[in-house]
Amino acid sequence: MKRIYMDNAATTRITEPVLEAMLPYLTNVYGNPSSVHAFGREARKAVETARRQVAAAINAQPSEIYFTGCGTEADNWALRGAAYAKNAKGKHIITTQIEHHAILHTAEQLEKEGFEVTYLPVDEHGSVDLEALKRAIRPDTAIVSIMAANNEIGTIQPIREAAAIAKEHGALFHTDAVQAIGCEKIDVKDMKIDLLSLSGHKFHGPKGVGVLYVRSGVRLERLIQGGAQERTQRGGTENLASIVGMGKAIEIAVSNMEERNAYIASLRDRLINGLLERIPETRLNGHPTNRLSGNANVSVRYIEGESLLLSLDMKGIAASSGSACTSGSLDPSHVLLAIGLSHEIAHGSMRFSLNEENTIEEVDYTIDTMVEVVERLRAMSPLYAR
Ligand SMILES: *Cc1c(COP(=O)(O)O)cnc(C)c1O
């Protein structure tokens, strides 16, 4: 059976050039980057090359790049580090209702610790309301955290404008750019971003490595205490091979961006149009145009997302459902509820996340399979019969 992978927002494949860059650091070059001998110096050199590659991709200085254990750690560090910072402006934090759980659950924890958090609403397309940000921001707002693009519905956020508002009020601005990198151009200097999170495995790098960009001059509390690694700010022996792989992967991700994303967007639009035209009572979630090139999120009425997901899996297609049943919770996605979907509609949602490795043939097969599977599932649905 053909196997089709359309779950690139969950994770991506390590590509050959990335693996090749990593291999020496899993075998012959095994020194500890902190060691002063030749083995250590060789490892250190590789870490610093990767740091330069990441910095160049977002127009930062290498000294502003800190390697972390994952995107989640970078998000935790940004929020907690800014909240606990000795020079924090106060105990108020602003974020949005549609952030990744790495931000939302951290914000909720901070609330328990006595911080006050404002969760900005979004409109029907999932765009954050800048007027609401202007109303919410206060003299004691320490940090504003707004994701660059949403992982579920693909909506791209006005982070340049949001950063300007934060700056005007003296608050730090953080963005979770885990999904946006390689898709949208990101220039931290030009966009006046103070803190930015990345994750290696979302752009063909390895899992278990991330980055927090910290603008020079910004003081964060440490999240991980330990040795003097990462200029004493993040203890722990560097994940050498993964850092090297992420450096190579980000270099590729930001090269040839326009052409690659135009191709991915053409596949996405073909998929969206095919599904909406051929399956009645289907809607697109997220912004109709201002969305990630690879994201297609649709709700299919009278269908359980989980049943649809399993049926597609049996036909060889890997996607993701909008409900979070697999993670042990029956609650529909907080993102889909935030854009105003009812529980019922949110439960019938599917996310297809494409990249440059997908083909037109795969898209057409997916549309045909969806038509067939939805018909079969609806035929069995008592809701649909009515
Ligand atoms: C995947 C993801 C994360 C978490 O990154 P990990 O490296 O998997 O911990 C954070 N934010 C967004 C938007 C993501 O898509």
Side-chain angles (χ1 to χ4, degrees):
M1 186 176 61
K2 242 191 318 213
R3 293 218 305 165
I4 297 179
Y5 189 72
M6 293 195 179
D7 202 12
N8 288 286
T11 198
T12 58
R13 188 176 80 86
I14 292 183
T15 50
E16 286 69 21
V18 173
L19 178 66
E20 247 167 62
M22 292 173 71
L23 278 176
Y25 300 92
L26 290 163
T27 49
N28 300 332
V29 189
Y30 55 84
N32 185 322
S34 298
S35 301
V36 294
H37 47 60
F39 289 79
R41 290 199 305 274
E42 208 179 355
R44 162 66 47 206
K45 206 173 141 215
V47 170
E48 297 316 319
T49 299
R51 201 184 306 282
R52 277 197 300 277
Q53 288 168 317
V54 174
I58 59 172
N59 193 27
Q61 297 300 316
S63 59
E64 296 172 316
I65 302 300
Y66 294 85
F67 293 115
T68 66
C70 55
T72 298
E73 185 193 323
D75 279 348
N76 270 257
W77 187 11
L79 220 54
R80 285 179 177 280
Y84 299 145
K86 287 178 193 69
N87 61 351
K89 285 187 70 216
K91 301 197 99 183
H92 182 230
I93 295 164
I94 299 177
T95 185
T96 79
Q97 293 176 0
I98 62 163
E99 297 299 309
H100 189 274
H101 283 137
I103 288 291
L104 281 183
H105 289 165
T106 303
E108 285 160 18
Q109 180 62 31
L110 285 165
E111 277 187 284
K112 286 186 198 141
E113 295 171 19
F115 290 86
E116 194 187 331
V117 182
T118 303
Y119 299 91
L120 298 175
V122 293
D123 67 14
E124 67 196 301
H125 297 136
S127 304
V128 72
D129 182 350
L130 290 173
E131 292 307 313
L133 170 59
K134 284 182 194 160
R135 285 193 301 273
I137 200 159
R138 322 189 300 218
D140 66 337
T141 304
I143 180 168
V144 176
S145 177
I146 298 178
M147 68 199 325
N150 184 266
N151 48 305
E152 290 188 36
I153 57 174
T155 302
I156 293 162
Q157 302 297 343
I159 51 168
R160 180 190 297 274
E161 293 76 7
I165 295 168
K167 192 109 302 181
E168 225 172 274
H169 291 81
L172 290 176
F173 183 78
H174 167 253
T175 189
D176 173 338
V178 169
Q179 293 287 336
I181 192 76
C183 196
E184 288 297 297
K185 186 159 170 41
I186 291 177
D187 181 326
V188 290
K189 294 274 177 306
D190 182 44
M191 295 165 116
K192 307 245 184 317
I193 294 166
D194 296 308
L195 302 160
L196 176 142
S197 307
L198 298 173
S199 168
H201 73 102
K202 301 293 175 75
F203 49 84
H204 296 300
K207 296 165 182 63
V209 64
V211 154
L212 185 64
Y213 152 80
V214 183
R215 184 174 60 75
S216 156
V218 171
R219 304 285 311 160
L220 294 184
E221 254 330 278
R222 291 178 189 81
L223 184 71
I224 307 286
Q225 307 290 341
Q229 290 90 357
E230 297 301 282
R231 300 177 300 289
T232 75
Q233 298 306 297
R234 198 276 185 184
T237 299
E238 296 85 345
N239 185 349
L240 182 58
S242 293
I243 287 172
V244 167
M246 181 167 55
K248 184 68 187 171
I250 203 165
E251 202 174 71
I252 299 171
V254 298
S255 66
N256 202 13
M257 238 170 70
E258 265 173 45
E259 202 183 318
R260 187 179 65 244
N261 284 299
Y263 169 69
I264 301 170
S266 74
L267 294 181
R268 173 202 65 191
D269 293 341
R270 188 180 178 98
L271 178 59
I272 291 172
N273 294 335
L275 294 176
L276 298 191
E277 275 163 24
R278 291 183 50 196
I279 307 175
E281 300 209 57
T282 303
R283 54 159 283 156
L284 174 69
N285 298 316
H287 199 284
T289 52
N290 194 21
R291 64 188 301 130
L292 291 174
S293 59
N295 178 289
N297 187 312
V298 293
S299 290
V300 186
R301 267 199 100 168
Y302 313 114
I303 298 273
E304 279 291 331
E306 287 297 293
S307 327
L308 193 49
L309 183 71
L310 295 175
S311 303
L312 289 179
D313 185 38
M314 284 195 283
K315 300 278 185 185
I317 301 169
S320 168
S321 68
S323 56
C325 306
T326 41
S327 58
S329 142
L330 280 167
D331 296 336
S333 140
H334 63 286
V335 177
L336 297 177
L337 295 183
I339 60 171
L341 296 196
S342 67
H343 280 239
E344 186 221 322
I345 306 254
H347 264 306
S349 301
M350 289 298 296
R351 176 190 69 189
F352 300 90
S353 40
L354 314 177
N355 72 10
E356 69 283 359
E357 300 193 329
N358 291 117
T359 62
I360 287 188
E361 290 71 36
E362 289 180 340
V363 166
D364 291 346
Y365 174 78
T366 301
I367 297 168
D368 291 342
T369 307
M370 276 285 284
V371 169
E372 181 193 314
V373 166
V374 167
E375 252 172 37
R376 184 168 52 75
L377 290 174
R378 277 182 175 169
M380 301 186 306
S381 162
L383 285 168
Y384 192 62
R386 271 192 269 132

PDB file of all heavy atoms in Angstrom, residues 308-336:
ATOM      1  N   LEU A 308     -12.420   9.336  11.276  1.00  0.00           N
ATOM      2  CA  LEU A 308     -11.890   9.740   9.978  1.00  0.00           C
ATOM      3  C   LEU A 308     -10.374   9.483   9.928  1.00  0.00           C
ATOM      4  O   LEU A 308      -9.853   8.922   8.957  1.00  0.00           O
ATOM      5  CB  LEU A 308     -12.197  11.230   9.782  1.00  0.00           C
ATOM      6  CG  LEU A 308     -12.026  11.841   8.402  1.00  0.00           C
ATOM      7  CD1 LEU A 308     -12.715  10.993   7.345  1.00  0.00           C
ATOM      8  CD2 LEU A 308     -12.602  13.254   8.391  1.00  0.00           C
ATOM      9  N   LEU A 309      -9.703   9.868  11.002  1.00  0.00           N
ATOM     10  CA  LEU A 309      -8.254   9.689  11.097  1.00  0.00           C
ATOM     11  C   LEU A 309      -7.873   8.219  10.940  1.00  0.00           C
ATOM     12  O   LEU A 309      -6.964   7.863  10.182  1.00  0.00           O
ATOM     13  CB  LEU A 309      -7.775  10.199  12.460  1.00  0.00           C
ATOM     14  CG  LEU A 309      -6.278  10.154  12.731  1.00  0.00           C
ATOM     15  CD1 LEU A 309      -5.567  11.198  11.896  1.00  0.00           C
ATOM     16  CD2 LEU A 309      -5.984  10.398  14.201  1.00  0.00           C
ATOM     17  N   LEU A 310      -8.609   7.347  11.639  1.00  0.00           N
ATOM     18  CA  LEU A 310      -8.308   5.913  11.584  1.00  0.00           C
ATOM     19  C   LEU A 310      -8.621   5.352  10.209  1.00  0.00           C
ATOM     20  O   LEU A 310      -7.877   4.518   9.682  1.00  0.00           O
ATOM     21  CB  LEU A 310      -9.088   5.165  12.673  1.00  0.00           C
ATOM     22  CG  LEU A 310      -8.687   5.541  14.102  1.00  0.00           C
ATOM     23  CD1 LEU A 310      -9.572   4.848  15.128  1.00  0.00           C
ATOM     24  CD2 LEU A 310      -7.218   5.225  14.374  1.00  0.00           C
ATOM     25  N   SER A 311      -9.719   5.811   9.597  1.00  0.00           N
ATOM     26  CA  SER A 311     -10.069   5.333   8.253  1.00  0.00           C
ATOM     27  C   SER A 311      -9.005   5.757   7.242  1.00  0.00           C
ATOM     28  O   SER A 311      -8.633   4.980   6.366  1.00  0.00           O
ATOM     29  CB  SER A 311     -11.426   5.879   7.812  1.00  0.00           C
ATOM     30  OG  SER A 311     -12.413   5.518   8.740  1.00  0.00           O
ATOM     31  N   LEU A 312      -8.530   6.989   7.362  1.00  0.00           N
ATOM     32  CA  LEU A 312      -7.481   7.455   6.444  1.00  0.00           C
ATOM     33  C   LEU A 312      -6.203   6.652   6.669  1.00  0.00           C
ATOM     34  O   LEU A 312      -5.524   6.268   5.718  1.00  0.00           O
ATOM     35  CB  LEU A 312      -7.186   8.950   6.662  1.00  0.00           C
ATOM     36  CG  LEU A 312      -8.256   9.935   6.211  1.00  0.00           C
ATOM     37  CD1 LEU A 312      -7.815  11.371   6.528  1.00  0.00           C
ATOM     38  CD2 LEU A 312      -8.561   9.813   4.726  1.00  0.00           C
ATOM     39  N   ASP A 313      -5.904   6.382   7.923  1.00  0.00           N
ATOM     40  CA  ASP A 313      -4.700   5.620   8.260  1.00  0.00           C
ATOM     41  C   ASP A 313      -4.750   4.241   7.597  1.00  0.00           C
ATOM     42  O   ASP A 313      -3.749   3.750   7.077  1.00  0.00           O
ATOM     43  CB  ASP A 313      -4.587   5.494   9.782  1.00  0.00           C
ATOM     44  CG  ASP A 313      -3.294   4.827  10.215  1.00  0.00           C
ATOM     45  OD1 ASP A 313      -2.244   5.096   9.577  1.00  0.00           O
ATOM     46  OD2 ASP A 313      -3.317   4.042  11.177  1.00  0.00           O
ATOM     47  N   MET A 314      -5.936   3.647   7.587  1.00  0.00           N
ATOM     48  CA  MET A 314      -6.072   2.326   6.953  1.00  0.00           C
ATOM     49  C   MET A 314      -5.841   2.398   5.450  1.00  0.00           C
ATOM     50  O   MET A 314      -5.520   1.409   4.818  1.00  0.00           O
ATOM     51  CB  MET A 314      -7.450   1.734   7.258  1.00  0.00           C
ATOM     52  CG  MET A 314      -7.520   1.211   8.682  1.00  0.00           C
ATOM     53  SD  MET A 314      -8.925   0.138   8.956  1.00  0.00           S
ATOM     54  CE  MET A 314     -10.255   1.308   9.096  1.00  0.00           C
ATOM     55  N   LYS A 315      -6.037   3.601   4.891  1.00  0.00           N
ATOM     56  CA  LYS A 315      -5.783   3.794   3.452  1.00  0.00           C
ATOM     57  C   LYS A 315      -4.370   4.338   3.219  1.00  0.00           C
ATOM     58  O   LYS A 315      -4.050   4.799   2.123  1.00  0.00           O
ATOM     59  CB  LYS A 315      -6.805   4.770   2.870  1.00  0.00           C
ATOM     60  CG  LYS A 315      -8.240   4.317   2.998  1.00  0.00           C
ATOM     61  CD  LYS A 315      -8.599   3.355   1.895  1.00  0.00           C
ATOM     62  CE  LYS A 315     -10.081   2.984   1.943  1.00  0.00           C
ATOM     63  NZ  LYS A 315     -10.396   1.970   0.937  1.00  0.00           N
ATOM     64  N   GLY A 316      -3.574   4.375   4.265  1.00  0.00           N
ATOM     65  CA  GLY A 316      -2.171   4.771   4.115  1.00  0.00           C
ATOM     66  C   GLY A 316      -1.901   6.257   4.261  1.00  0.00           C
ATOM     67  O   GLY A 316      -0.785   6.713   4.019  1.00  0.00           O
ATOM     68  N   ILE A 317      -2.927   7.021   4.642  1.00  0.00           N
ATOM     69  CA  ILE A 317      -2.741   8.480   4.729  1.00  0.00           C
ATOM     70  C   ILE A 317      -2.585   8.915   6.187  1.00  0.00           C
ATOM     71  O   ILE A 317      -3.449   8.630   7.019  1.00  0.00           O
ATOM     72  CB  ILE A 317      -3.943   9.219   4.097  1.00  0.00           C
ATOM     73  CG1 ILE A 317      -4.096   8.813   2.637  1.00  0.00           C
ATOM     74  CG2 ILE A 317      -3.782  10.731   4.243  1.00  0.00           C
ATOM     75  CD1 ILE A 317      -5.402   9.275   2.007  1.00  0.00           C
ATOM     76  N   ALA A 318      -1.491   9.609   6.481  1.00  0.00           N
ATOM     77  CA  ALA A 318      -1.241  10.099   7.836  1.00  0.00           C
ATOM     78  C   ALA A 318      -1.605  11.570   7.914  1.00  0.00           C
ATOM     79  O   ALA A 318      -1.024  12.402   7.219  1.00  0.00           O
ATOM     80  CB  ALA A 318       0.222   9.908   8.204  1.00  0.00           C
ATOM     81  N   ALA A 319      -2.609  11.892   8.747  1.00  0.00           N
ATOM     82  CA  ALA A 319      -2.995  13.282   8.995  1.00  0.00           C
ATOM     83  C   ALA A 319      -3.183  13.430  10.500  1.00  0.00           C
ATOM     84  O   ALA A 319      -2.663  12.622  11.275  1.00  0.00           O
ATOM     85  CB  ALA A 319      -4.262  13.624   8.224  1.00  0.00           C
ATOM     86  N   SER A 320      -3.920  14.445  10.920  1.00  0.00           N
ATOM     87  CA  SER A 320      -4.111  14.655  12.351  1.00  0.00           C
ATOM     88  C   SER A 320      -5.534  15.166  12.571  1.00  0.00           C
ATOM     89  O   SER A 320      -6.057  15.923  11.752  1.00  0.00           O
ATOM     90  CB  SER A 320      -3.083  15.684  12.818  1.00  0.00           C
ATOM     91  OG  SER A 320      -3.393  16.131  14.108  1.00  0.00           O
ATOM     92  N   SER A 321      -6.152  14.737  13.648  1.00  0.00           N
ATOM     93  CA  SER A 321      -7.523  15.196  13.890  1.00  0.00           C
ATOM     94  C   SER A 321      -7.517  16.366  14.852  1.00  0.00           C
ATOM     95  O   SER A 321      -6.623  16.504  15.684  1.00  0.00           O
ATOM     96  CB  SER A 321      -8.387  14.065  14.430  1.00  0.00           C
ATOM     97  OG  SER A 321      -7.969  13.719  15.717  1.00  0.00           O
ATOM     98  N   GLY A 322      -8.508  17.205  14.718  1.00  0.00           N
ATOM     99  CA  GLY A 322      -8.572  18.418  15.537  1.00  0.00           C
ATOM    100  C   GLY A 322      -8.877  18.132  16.986  1.00  0.00           C
ATOM    101  O   GLY A 322      -8.552  18.907  17.867  1.00  0.00           O
ATOM    102  N   SER A 323      -9.477  16.986  17.251  1.00  0.00           N
ATOM    103  CA  SER A 323      -9.757  16.651  18.648  1.00  0.00           C
ATOM    104  C   SER A 323      -8.519  15.999  19.243  1.00  0.00           C
ATOM    105  O   SER A 323      -7.661  15.494  18.543  1.00  0.00           O
ATOM    106  CB  SER A 323     -10.939  15.707  18.739  1.00  0.00           C
ATOM    107  OG  SER A 323     -10.698  14.570  17.955  1.00  0.00           O
ATOM    108  N   ALA A 324      -8.461  16.013  20.551  1.00  0.00           N
ATOM    109  CA  ALA A 324      -7.235  15.555  21.200  1.00  0.00           C
ATOM    110  C   ALA A 324      -7.435  14.201  21.882  1.00  0.00           C
ATOM    111  O   ALA A 324      -6.836  13.907  22.893  1.00  0.00           O
ATOM    112  CB  ALA A 324      -6.766  16.597  22.204  1.00  0.00           C
ATOM    113  N   CYS A 325      -8.311  13.378  21.296  1.00  0.00           N
ATOM    114  CA  CYS A 325      -8.647  12.096  21.925  1.00  0.00           C
ATOM    115  C   CYS A 325      -7.414  11.241  22.158  1.00  0.00           C
ATOM    116  O   CYS A 325      -7.285  10.578  23.175  1.00  0.00           O
ATOM    117  CB  CYS A 325      -9.611  11.314  21.053  1.00  0.00           C
ATOM    118  SG  CYS A 325     -11.062  12.258  20.635  1.00  0.00           S
ATOM    119  N   THR A 326      -6.514  11.263  21.176  1.00  0.00           N
ATOM    120  CA  THR A 326      -5.341  10.399  21.266  1.00  0.00           C
ATOM    121  C   THR A 326      -4.477  10.751  22.463  1.00  0.00           C
ATOM    122  O   THR A 326      -3.783   9.910  22.992  1.00  0.00           O
ATOM    123  CB  THR A 326      -4.478  10.534  19.996  1.00  0.00           C
ATOM    124  OG1 THR A 326      -4.432  11.899  19.642  1.00  0.00           O
ATOM    125  CG2 THR A 326      -5.062   9.736  18.859  1.00  0.00           C
ATOM    126  N   SER A 327      -4.525  12.002  22.889  1.00  0.00           N
ATOM    127  CA  SER A 327      -3.695  12.383  24.025  1.00  0.00           C
ATOM    128  C   SER A 327      -4.464  12.158  25.335  1.00  0.00           C
ATOM    129  O   SER A 327      -4.108  12.694  26.370  1.00  0.00           O
ATOM    130  CB  SER A 327      -3.244  13.831  23.893  1.00  0.00           C
ATOM    131  OG  SER A 327      -4.365  14.668  23.799  1.00  0.00           O
ATOM    132  N   GLY A 328      -5.515  11.373  25.257  1.00  0.00           N
ATOM    133  CA  GLY A 328      -6.209  10.981  26.473  1.00  0.00           C
ATOM    134  C   GLY A 328      -7.282  11.952  26.917  1.00  0.00           C
ATOM    135  O   GLY A 328      -7.846  11.818  27.995  1.00  0.00           O
ATOM    136  N   SER A 329      -7.573  12.930  26.074  1.00  0.00           N
ATOM    137  CA  SER A 329      -8.603  13.900  26.444  1.00  0.00           C
ATOM    138  C   SER A 329      -9.664  13.928  25.353  1.00  0.00           C
ATOM    139  O   SER A 329      -9.361  13.818  24.177  1.00  0.00           O
ATOM    140  CB  SER A 329      -7.957  15.279  26.600  1.00  0.00           C
ATOM    141  OG  SER A 329      -8.808  16.278  26.117  1.00  0.00           O
ATOM    142  N   LEU A 330     -10.918  14.055  25.763  1.00  0.00           N
ATOM    143  CA  LEU A 330     -11.984  14.096  24.765  1.00  0.00           C
ATOM    144  C   LEU A 330     -12.391  15.518  24.427  1.00  0.00           C
ATOM    145  O   LEU A 330     -13.301  15.748  23.646  1.00  0.00           O
ATOM    146  CB  LEU A 330     -13.198  13.292  25.266  1.00  0.00           C
ATOM    147  CG  LEU A 330     -13.050  11.776  25.068  1.00  0.00           C
ATOM    148  CD1 LEU A 330     -14.113  11.014  25.845  1.00  0.00           C
ATOM    149  CD2 LEU A 330     -13.112  11.401  23.587  1.00  0.00           C
ATOM    150  N   ASP A 331     -11.699  16.483  25.039  1.00  0.00           N
ATOM    151  CA  ASP A 331     -12.027  17.878  24.754  1.00  0.00           C
ATOM    152  C   ASP A 331     -11.608  18.217  23.338  1.00  0.00           C
ATOM    153  O   ASP A 331     -10.523  17.854  22.910  1.00  0.00           O
ATOM    154  CB  ASP A 331     -11.267  18.809  25.715  1.00  0.00           C
ATOM    155  CG  ASP A 331     -11.698  18.587  27.150  1.00  0.00           C
ATOM    156  OD1 ASP A 331     -12.821  18.095  27.344  1.00  0.00           O
ATOM    157  OD2 ASP A 331     -10.911  18.905  28.062  1.00  0.00           O
ATOM    158  N   PRO A 332     -12.466  18.943  22.618  1.00  0.00           N
ATOM    159  CA  PRO A 332     -12.027  19.385  21.294  1.00  0.00           C
ATOM    160  C   PRO A 332     -10.905  20.413  21.424  1.00  0.00           C
ATOM    161  O   PRO A 332     -10.708  20.982  22.497  1.00  0.00           O
ATOM    162  CB  PRO A 332     -13.279  20.003  20.686  1.00  0.00           C
ATOM    163  CG  PRO A 332     -14.219  20.241  21.795  1.00  0.00           C
ATOM    164  CD  PRO A 332     -13.808  19.385  22.953  1.00  0.00           C
ATOM    165  N   SER A 333     -10.195  20.628  20.344  1.00  0.00           N
ATOM    166  CA  SER A 333      -9.056  21.532  20.337  1.00  0.00           C
ATOM    167  C   SER A 333      -9.420  22.929  20.835  1.00  0.00           C
ATOM    168  O   SER A 333     -10.427  23.506  20.424  1.00  0.00           O
ATOM    169  CB  SER A 333      -8.541  21.616  18.902  1.00  0.00           C
ATOM    170  OG  SER A 333      -8.164  22.931  18.593  1.00  0.00           O
ATOM    171  N   HIS A 334      -8.588  23.479  21.703  1.00  0.00           N
ATOM    172  CA  HIS A 334      -8.808  24.834  22.230  1.00  0.00           C
ATOM    173  C   HIS A 334      -8.735  25.867  21.110  1.00  0.00           C
ATOM    174  O   HIS A 334      -9.359  26.922  21.190  1.00  0.00           O
ATOM    175  CB  HIS A 334      -7.784  25.156  23.330  1.00  0.00           C
ATOM    176  CG  HIS A 334      -6.353  25.173  22.861  1.00  0.00           C
ATOM    177  ND1 HIS A 334      -5.641  24.023  22.568  1.00  0.00           N
ATOM    178  CD2 HIS A 334      -5.493  26.194  22.622  1.00  0.00           C
ATOM    179  CE1 HIS A 334      -4.422  24.346  22.179  1.00  0.00           C
ATOM    180  NE2 HIS A 334      -4.301  25.664  22.197  1.00  0.00           N
ATOM    181  N   VAL A 335      -7.987  25.541  20.052  1.00  0.00           N
ATOM    182  CA  VAL A 335      -7.854  26.482  18.935  1.00  0.00           C
ATOM    183  C   VAL A 335      -9.174  26.554  18.159  1.00  0.00           C
ATOM    184  O   VAL A 335      -9.661  27.636  17.825  1.00  0.00           O
ATOM    185  CB  VAL A 335      -6.693  26.059  18.006  1.00  0.00           C
ATOM    186  CG1 VAL A 335      -6.604  26.984  16.799  1.00  0.00           C
ATOM    187  CG2 VAL A 335      -5.378  26.045  18.772  1.00  0.00           C
ATOM    188  N   LEU A 336      -9.753  25.393  17.885  1.00  0.00           N
ATOM    189  CA  LEU A 336     -11.004  25.365  17.117  1.00  0.00           C
ATOM    190  C   LEU A 336     -12.150  25.991  17.910  1.00  0.00           C
ATOM    191  O   LEU A 336     -13.014  26.668  17.343  1.00  0.00           O
ATOM    192  CB  LEU A 336     -11.339  23.922  16.716  1.00  0.00           C
ATOM    193  CG  LEU A 336     -10.302  23.279  15.780  1.00  0.00           C
ATOM    194  CD1 LEU A 336     -10.661  21.825  15.492  1.00  0.00           C
ATOM    195  CD2 LEU A 336     -10.184  24.061  14.472  1.00  0.00           C
TER     196      LEU A 336
END
